[in-house]
Amino acid sequence: MNNKEHYFDWAATSPADEDILKESLELTLENWGNPSSAHQIGKNARTVLEQARERAAKALEVKPENIYFTSGGTESDQIPLLSVLNKNSKGKVLISSIEHPAVREQALAMKKCGWNIVQIPADKNGIITPEAVTALLTPDTMLVTVMAVNNETGSIQPIYKIADAITEWSQGKRKPKFHVDCVQAAGKIPLNLSYKGIDSAAFSAHKICGPRGIGILYLKDPLEAFLKGGGQEKGIRSGTENVFGAVAFSKCLERYFIKESNPTAFTNYTEQKDETISFVKELSELTGCTIVPPGRLENPELFSPYVVQAGFKNIPGNVMLRALDAKGFFISTGSACSTKKNSRPVLEAMHVPADLRETSVRFSFGPHTTKKAIQELLQAVKEVVEAFY
């Protein structure tokens, strides 16, 4: 059985694009120097790194000087968050109640240091509304962070409307920075980083067929990083640069980032939308199944077609996971970063009942997921359900 074909945990990590990784490795084996070295070998590596920055910027439709390479999505989220620690006084930071642990756990650590960390409530569909954000804004708010696509339910957040709302609220006063975690959005929905009001955004290569250990931070304007070091990446992210990762990530963005000028990726996206709507409908018709949130059935446009959450009455999520694993189908019970903690803070924020939280599992897809594989997954889930009823 083809493990990749029946892999439905793309939100945790994606199968790597082997061609891209091999091409990138060959290039960086030839240009192996430290990009900060002043000699020619270092300069050669610097050229490769800057070419990768230019490719990434072109794919994301921003300027190369706005792109900073990091160690991954977590660091790309935390650099803007930690930058507020440079302020002379401790103010307020607003984070959505559905954020990834990269933001949520770091914010809790800042709270212990005296910062006023306030969670923005989500509605029953797991959506953060602009009104919910502006209701919590105060003159001492330094930063607002709302993810673009939730990693557990696939809910698409109205980041552009939120950006507008923050900008409008800020007329005549200091505007708080607005950060967007785009880790689950890149290659999953179209994005516009140049939209006014978006100050920073985080990306991770291994969610879009690239290697682990490399991320991108988009910054509209430079900031003062809290963590200091050798000054690489213009002082935003110190540490010897991961040239191989930067090259591979840039190539993955060229191939998989969704925009109309990238017809293959855009076509895959539109086809996946139709396929997921059908998948969700068929799934919901199985005995004891509840789509999370149920409103997805009536409002599929509010959700990424690449992430689906569902619960099965009387079948604990870890039981469903093991049963499908035994059949050669691979899913998850939520964020891979929270698996060991056995908690579901995102579903709790949506006020999902405890019994449904316990039985909920996540199915996540990618650009290589086939219609045939999804139909085989449905059949496998049906067989597990029938064994319990």
Side-chain angles (χ1 to χ4, degrees), residues 137-198:
L137 289 173
T138 53
D140 67 339
T141 304
M142 305 288 186
L143 176 75
V144 178
T145 177
V146 179
M147 66 195 330
V149 172
N150 183 259
N151 54 299
E152 293 196 36
T153 67
S155 58
I156 300 173
Q157 305 306 310
I159 56 173
Y160 309 116
K161 291 181 179 178
I162 291 173
D164 288 342
I166 294 172
T167 300
E168 184 178 349
W169 178 90
S170 303
Q171 295 299 319
K173 39 188 179 290
R174 181 187 53 79
K175 175 186 173 295
K177 297 293 186 181
F178 180 39
H179 174 72
V180 182
D181 179 337
C182 293
V183 169
Q184 292 293 345
K188 306 293 177 62
I189 63 169
L191 287 170
N192 178 11
L193 290 187
S194 298
Y195 195 86
K196 64 183 187 300
I198 295 178

